[in-house]
Amino acid sequence: QVQLVESGGGSVQAGGSLRLSCAAFGYTYSSYRMGWFRQASGQGREGVAIMDSDGSTSYADSVKGRFTISQDNAKNTLYLQMNSLKLEDTAMYYCAADFRPRRYSLRWYLFNADFAKWGQGTQVTVSS
């Protein structure tokens, strides 16, 4: 059974860094489209970054140049390196995976969150 487990969240001051991890169980990362999404309290879910099985990526405009998505196939783990964190980055962060053939642009998947599998989330809190 496919399972995604996020870790690495926590509290950090504005300008600091965190690295989120998403361990996958039951399948191999390299065959899937993977992504990070976030949801702040009282707001809708927002796409943060996506990586396709060919290594191509797409980022939300709000995190470009600050966040980096990557994966370690040997460890079956997806990462999100977050630098220069801002107060508005505070949210629950979710890892997502999908194995269906790509039909649209990565940016479409970023905005529509069309992913079959989701983790439970890890909280990131940025304070001043």
Side-chain angles (χ1 to χ4, degrees), residues 5-125:
V5 180
E6 302 98 332
S7 62
S11 297
V12 63
Q13 287 191 323
S17 299
L18 280 175
R19 188 177 78 159
L20 305 184
S21 299
C22 176
F25 302 92
Y27 70 98
T28 302
Y29 261 130
S30 61
S31 301
Y32 286 74
R33 181 164 51 254
M34 306 295 303
W36 288 98
F37 294 79
R38 67 187 181 186
Q39 186 166 15
S41 179
Q43 298 185 24
R45 186 168 47 193
E46 174 190 22
V48 177
I50 288 179
M51 173 175 278
D52 207 353
S53 56
D54 62 1
S56 56
T57 59
S58 181
Y59 292 90
D61 291 343
S62 59
V63 307
K64 278 182 181 176
R66 300 189 298 121
F67 291 11
T68 303
I69 188 172
S70 63
Q71 65 183 43
D72 185 332
N73 292 335
K75 296 181 179 180
N76 230 25
T77 301
L78 182 75
Y79 300 101
L80 184 69
Q81 178 66 44
M82 305 186 294
N83 299 327
S84 302
L85 283 161
K86 303 177 180 180
L87 297 180
E88 53 264 39
D89 294 320
T90 295
M92 183 71 80
Y93 283 71
Y94 298 91
C95 173
D98 197 87
F99 58 87
R100 294 167 291 180
R102 178 176 163 183
R103 297 179 60 190
Y104 307 103
S105 69
L106 286 187
R107 200 151 184 87
W108 184 93
Y109 288 100
L110 193 68
F111 282 109
N112 290 278
D114 187 18
F115 283 75
K117 300 296 181 182
W118 293 83
Q120 293 301 306
T122 185
Q123 177 68 37
V124 171
T125 302

